[in-house]
Amino acid sequence: MVVLVLGSACKGPSDPSVDSASESGGDTASTTGSESDSGSESETGDPPACPGQTPAELMDCVDSQRYREDLEFVSAVRVPGSPHWQAVQDLCADRLTELGYEVTLQAYATGVNVVGLRPGTELANEHVIVGAHYDHIPACSGADDNGTGVAATLELARILADIPTPRTLMITCWDEEELGLIGSAAQAQLALDEGLVITGAFSLDSIGFASTEPNSQVVPDGFNLLFPDEYAELEANEFRGDFLLWVSDDTLTDVGTSLNGFAATLGLPTIGTALSDDLKLSPLLADLRRSDHASFWDLDIPALFFNDTGEFRYPAYHCGDGDDTVDKVTQEFAISVTKVAVATSAVALGM
């Protein structure tokens, strides 16, 4: 495992030098105040401090314009090793550095995770990971999967950068999820090898498509038998695909309860459950293990998954029915999920 510590840089999606440097294979260079958005930055180019004092109040700090700009930037073909894969990796590294995180490029055998560390105040030895995978498959723009998760992770990182929390925050852009959760597995194993205490790992993956049409949501075979209560909720709602799905292991049950409460204040429906150790590892639940949280479950590290159910709702999942482009993303839904993720992460961090 090779870990590179990054120096300071200040690029964002609206800085054209990000793309041009990456396309040419050059190193990213420092800039000053180059990022522009809806006017939410100060004159120095630094993000304003979030005035929220409670997890619920932090939801109001989500900047929709910033989110949309990052989603637009990320959403293009980014197969590992490609120019735009490098550009998105650079975006994660530069943004986290700009926000004051201690940033490392966590290079493993076949890829690179970007990890930003912000120490806790009282329980600094306890870590909460919040991440999203930044790679995608060939010939597919990957807006929902997983531009939505990367944009949410970066916005969460901005909001929590200057908020003191008892536990330490680790923001991660994972590589090679599409090749078998390789990047997150590398991070989880490194954490285990180094003896890090991980009290929760949150995976934000495909959080941007919703539909209020009846029967827009399908479920995998056997779902009604394994989860009769959740199936009854779906049935009562005429199988509308308008909810956030979350799933965790049972050590994060209380965090899931908080998640439901935050979503309810926004009018965002949720369906979620906490799984026993046996269920979280069961091949019967393979459809609930198809993202980076499962790498942590496999090592008995608590983890929680935010998701829109992918192909069970979204026709363009993996470009199955047309390209997965930004215009197909239900952006207000994605922004609401981002707000819930911010508040839920703050709870997990001890606020």
Side-chain angles (χ1 to χ4, degrees):
M1 179 76 68
V2 179
V3 179
L4 306 176
V5 180
L6 298 188
S8 178
C10 299
K11 288 199 187 73
S14 57
D15 183 351
S17 62
V18 173
D19 215 3
S20 60
S22 300
E23 292 287 344
S24 64
D27 292 332
T28 57
S30 255
T31 63
T32 303
S34 61
E35 185 178 73
S36 63
D37 59 8
S38 58
S40 59
E41 288 192 358
S42 68
E43 291 181 0
T44 65
D46 296 326
C50 176
Q53 300 297 312
T54 68
E57 290 171 345
L58 295 180
M59 293 195 291
D60 292 334
C61 297
V62 171
D63 186 323
S64 298
Q65 183 62 26
R66 283 178 176 273
Y67 181 91
R68 296 175 197 277
E69 289 178 358
D70 284 340
L71 176 62
E72 287 278 357
F73 180 82
V74 173
S75 300
V77 176
R78 51 190 185 281
V79 178
S82 67
H84 196 60
W85 167 87
Q86 185 64 61
V88 176
Q89 182 190 121
D90 292 344
L91 169 65
C92 290
D94 293 347
R95 180 70 60 77
L96 292 173
T97 300
E98 177 186 347
L99 291 169
Y101 289 80
E102 179 185 329
V103 178
T104 61
L105 295 182
Q106 193 178 80
Y108 55 92
T110 57
V112 180
N113 296 326
V114 181
V115 182
L117 185 73
R118 193 226 58 195
T121 58
E122 300 168 27
L123 301 169
N125 63 314
E126 298 182 5
H127 300 70
V128 173
I129 298 173
V130 182
H133 75 89
Y134 70 97
D135 65 305
H136 199 45
I137 63 174
C140 189
S141 296
D144 185 38
D145 183 12
N146 188 30
T148 57
V150 173
T153 298
L154 293 177
E155 183 59 6
L156 183 150
R158 182 186 71 83
I159 292 167
L160 292 177
D162 297 318
I163 302 293
T165 61
R167 295 188 177 94
T168 292
L169 173 62
M170 295 179 73
I171 299 290
T172 306
C173 294
W174 288 302
D175 197 5
E176 296 187 317
E177 187 267 0
E178 300 289 0
L179 298 177
L181 317 184
I182 299 174
S184 56
Q187 185 184 36
Q189 187 61 55
L190 181 62
L192 190 67
D193 293 344
E194 292 182 343
L196 292 185
V197 178
I198 308 297
T199 59
F202 295 174
S203 172
L204 299 164
D205 190 355
S206 302
I207 58 169
F209 185 78
S211 174
T212 58
E213 291 295 318
N215 300 312
S216 54
Q217 182 71 50
V218 298
V219 297
D221 292 340
F223 183 87
N224 58 323
L225 300 176
L226 289 168
F227 303 105
D229 292 340
E230 289 78 9
Y231 186 86
E233 289 184 59
L234 289 170
E235 193 172 34
N237 195 35
E238 298 183 290
F239 293 97
R240 289 179 171 88
D242 61 354
F243 59 92
L244 164 65
L245 172 72
W246 67 267
V247 62
S248 74
D249 48 323
D250 55 15
T251 58
L252 294 176
T253 300
D254 290 345
V255 173
T257 299
S258 295
L259 184 160
N260 285 336
F262 296 131
T265 67
L266 300 177
L268 175 66
T270 60
I271 290 182
T273 189
L275 304 175
S276 67
D277 286 346
D278 288 342
L279 278 178
K280 75 182 184 184
L281 301 176
S282 173
L284 294 174
L285 299 185
D287 287 317
L288 296 179
R289 290 178 42 85
R290 289 167 34 191
S291 191
D292 293 299
H293 62 291
S295 295
F296 296 90
W297 282 356
D298 287 344
L299 297 180
D300 203 27
I301 297 171
L304 187 148
F305 180 36
F306 295 77
N307 185 241
D308 64 14
T309 78
E311 76 269 34
F312 295 103
R313 175 189 303 176
Y314 182 42
Y317 172 80
H318 279 197
C319 291
D321 184 13
D323 198 3
D324 176 11
T325 49
V326 172
D327 60 294
K328 295 175 183 173
V329 171
T330 314
Q331 294 193 33
E332 289 306 317
F333 177 85
I335 290 165
S336 291
V337 174
T338 302
K339 293 178 178 182
V340 171
V342 169
T344 305
S345 298
V347 168
L349 286 161
M351 280 188 72

